[in-house]
Amino acid sequence: MSMWQVVLILAVVLPPTIVLVQGRRYDKINRKERIVKLSKAYIASIFVELLLFIISGVLGFFDYVGRFSGISGTLILFGPALLPIIASTILLAYYSEKETMNRKTLLLGFVLLLAIVFGTIFLFMATEGITNFVIFIIYSMGVAEVFSKIVKKVGKGEVLTGELSEEIREICRRYGVKIKNIHVLKDDKPYALVSGFGGKDVYVTEGLLEKLDKDEVIAVIAHELGHVKKKHLFKSSIIPIVAVTLAIIPMNLDLPVWVVISTVLLSIALIIYDFTVLRLKNEYEADEFAAKIAGKEHIISALKKLAEINEIPKDTPRWFDVMHSHPSIKKRIKRLEEMV
């Protein structure tokens, strides 16, 4: 076995092992501390993976990949890079949500991530030019809708009815928010989310309806409606599509090297902007929408209760906020309190 093969095996095995070991190490501590420590371990595992992957490439892996062409070459190149990241992500999710996540959900998440990542690679290698962009949009729409159906199926979701449903429907009519349905998931953990391409399916849990008062529930749902109104999920879906298209299409065309490098750098900049600025901004906008509809005192009290019940750290560093696509509870409350 050559040196590059040894290093490549380490690149695949070490990252998920780091998260697994740390997950077991911090298994008994409270969730607030656990998710911060596990998030640090996850970031460290990604850096380790990327470093070892590059070293293996320099030692001979990239030359080996050069023997192959088309989809097989792409899969051989990206497989060892992406598999450990996917495995580490699933382990992070499991140990962060160990109290509520079962192994069936864990396995389903792993399979879904594999299908999304390698399906994307296959599509871009099997098509060329503007076809990449069009097919990837259709593919992304399909993935988003399938994910929404899985959420409903796993959570045994039923359509929300009664007085609360009518109030939410009235809010939607008054503020021009278009949704399909509001579903109640059988989950004791209090939370809400929107899913589907463009975010037209709204989900709340039984735990949310039971553990928060009515005004707080409306405020939390209004936050999700804010995402729909502002088209946040649509924007978050389109930016990666544009970024990946910008990175790959020029590589298949006879263009000057400086043009190819420029488009790749632009695509990287778009992804960085999406995760470090736009997604955090989206949460602030959804909070402001909820405050406008339900009153800022109700969304603030809801945030405090959710943080306490779900053991979410209230004051977190920016790297943690970026990684989890949400500003800290402390920052969100401060911003709401400063609203006129």
Side-chain angles (χ1 to χ4, degrees), residues 240-254:
I241 294 172
V242 172
V244 174
T245 304
L246 278 174
I248 293 181
I249 286 182
M251 295 180 186
N252 298 323
L253 301 175
D254 187 19

Side-chain angles (χ1 to χ4, degrees), residues 85-87 89-90 107-119:
I85 294 176
I86 294 171
T89 301
I90 294 298
L107 179 61
L108 184 62
F110 182 71
V111 172
L112 185 61
L113 269 177
L114 279 178
I116 291 171
V117 171
F118 289 100

Side-chain angles (χ1 to χ4, degrees), residues 18-119:
I18 290 171
V19 179
L20 177 64
V21 169
Q22 295 303 306
R24 290 185 173 180
R25 179 184 177 186
Y26 299 122
D27 188 39
K28 303 301 180 182
I29 67 175
N30 68 72
R31 185 176 181 275
K32 288 182 182 180
E33 294 181 46
R34 187 170 74 238
I35 59 175
V36 174
K37 291 181 181 296
L38 286 175
S39 295
K40 288 180 179 178
Y42 175 79
I43 291 174
S45 75
I46 300 303
F47 277 114
V48 168
E49 191 268 336
L50 292 175
L51 178 62
L52 291 174
F53 182 74
I54 292 170
I55 292 173
S56 72
V58 172
L59 291 176
F61 177 55
F62 293 159
D63 291 334
Y64 174 77
V65 173
R67 301 177 190 175
F68 303 87
S69 60
I71 294 175
S72 59
T74 304
L75 290 176
I76 292 171
L77 175 63
F78 286 105
L82 296 174
L83 279 173
I85 294 176
I86 294 171
S88 296
T89 301
I90 294 298
L91 286 169
L92 172 68
Y94 174 69
Y95 281 106
S96 295
E97 308 293 339
K98 194 166 183 271
E99 292 81 5
T100 56
M101 183 177 289
N102 56 48
R103 292 184 179 181
K104 181 180 178 182
T105 304
L106 187 73
L107 179 61
L108 184 62
F110 182 71
V111 172
L112 185 61
L113 269 177
L114 279 178
I116 291 171
V117 171
F118 289 100

Side-chain angles (χ1 to χ4, degrees), residues 138-336:
I138 296 171
Y139 175 70
S140 298
M141 291 173 66
V143 168
E145 291 303 317
V146 168
F147 176 77
S148 185
K149 297 294 186 296
I150 290 173
V151 169
K152 183 181 175 182
K153 182 74 174 177
V154 172
K156 300 177 181 178
E158 297 180 358
V159 176
L160 178 68
T161 57
E163 183 182 337
L164 179 60
S165 175
E166 289 303 315
E167 287 190 39
I168 299 303
R169 294 287 180 185
E170 178 56 34
I171 289 171
C172 290
R173 285 191 288 269
R174 194 186 315 154
Y175 290 92
V177 182
K178 296 179 180 179
I179 62 172
K180 292 179 182 176
N181 276 308
I182 306 167
H183 300 277
V184 181
L185 304 177
K186 293 186 181 300
D187 192 339
D188 290 335
K189 186 176 178 180
Y191 65 90
L193 71 147
V194 289
S195 68
F197 191 80
K200 295 298 176 72
D201 293 308
V202 180
Y203 294 93
V204 298
T205 63
E206 291 179 341
L208 184 81
L209 300 178
E210 293 168 0
K211 296 173 182 177
L212 273 65
D213 64 39
K214 184 179 177 182
D215 289 330
E216 291 167 342
V217 169
I218 290 175
V220 172
I221 296 175
H223 172 94
E224 301 305 325
L225 296 179
H227 286 308
V228 179
K229 176 68 176 177
K230 304 287 184 179
K231 295 182 171 53
H232 290 159
L233 265 71
F234 177 76
K235 293 173 186 175
S236 294
S237 301
I238 288 296
I239 287 178
I241 294 172
V242 172
V244 174
T245 304
L246 278 174
I248 293 181
I249 286 182
M251 295 180 186
N252 298 323
L253 301 175
D254 187 19
L255 296 171
V257 174
W258 70 268
V259 174
V260 175
I261 293 174
S262 297
T263 55
V264 170
L265 291 175
L266 179 58
S267 69
I268 293 172
L270 278 172
I271 294 295
I272 292 174
Y273 171 74
D274 183 28
F275 280 92
T276 62
V277 177
L278 188 60
R279 295 190 182 216
L280 302 183
K281 179 173 173 284
N282 290 346
E283 293 304 318
Y284 287 132
E285 288 182 351
D287 281 345
E288 290 169 5
F289 187 80
K292 177 182 176 182
I293 290 174
K296 68 179 183 180
E297 68 277 7
H298 297 306
I299 186 65
I300 288 173
S301 63
L303 286 171
K304 289 178 179 178
K305 276 190 184 179
L306 290 173
E308 190 64 33
I309 296 170
N310 293 329
E311 295 186 84
I312 301 170
K314 291 182 181 178
D315 191 10
T316 50
R318 185 171 176 80
W319 67 263
F320 185 92
D321 300 346
V322 169
M323 180 178 168
H324 293 270
S325 301
H326 280 70
S328 70
I329 297 294
K330 182 179 178 180
K331 294 189 187 86
R332 292 171 69 181
I333 290 174
K334 182 181 178 182
R335 193 174 180 116
L336 284 164

